[in-house]
Amino acid sequence: MNLEAQRRNIVHKILDIENVQLLDKIEALLNNDIYTFTTDGKALTTKDYKEHLQQIMNVSDAGESGYTTEEARKKIIKK
């Protein structure tokens, strides 16, 4: 079964579900899918990652400055 067929199969099964608790579990699973890891090994879900990026954008839009390349390099080397 190719990927597209598998997706359609799953969608049809989900549409037939009438158990709210099961749908809640599916939603939680989809929302908590690990997307990436931080430099210290903490798992980030897709939702966490998007929130993290939004925080960075908010700080940037507020005019706050971040690290220079040299400051970032020194922080990384310390670890």
Side-chain angles (χ1 to χ4, degrees):
M1 177 182 312
N2 68 25
L3 182 60
E4 192 60 35
Q6 186 176 15
R7 284 182 180 153
R8 281 194 302 270
N9 187 25
I10 291 170
V11 167
H12 289 293
K13 286 181 180 181
I14 290 173
L15 290 174
D16 289 338
I17 295 173
E18 294 184 19
N19 182 324
V20 174
Q21 290 84 8
L22 179 56
L23 289 172
D24 289 342
K25 288 179 182 179
I26 293 169
E27 185 174 24
L29 178 64
L30 293 172
N31 289 338
N32 292 322
D33 187 30
I34 294 176
Y35 180 73
T36 190
F37 292 89
T38 63
T39 55
D40 60 355
K42 178 186 172 206
L44 287 179
T45 63
T46 303
K47 180 182 173 188
D48 293 337
Y49 184 68
K50 287 179 181 177
E51 288 174 359
H52 178 69
L53 292 178
Q54 188 59 51
Q55 288 173 352
I56 292 169
M57 294 301 291
N58 291 343
V59 168
S60 176
D61 290 346
E64 297 181 34
S65 62
Y67 297 111
T68 65
T69 303
E70 190 57 36
E71 290 170 332
R73 185 176 288 125
K74 287 178 182 176
K75 270 183 100 60
I76 292 169
I77 292 173
K78 285 182 185 178
K79 292 183 177 190

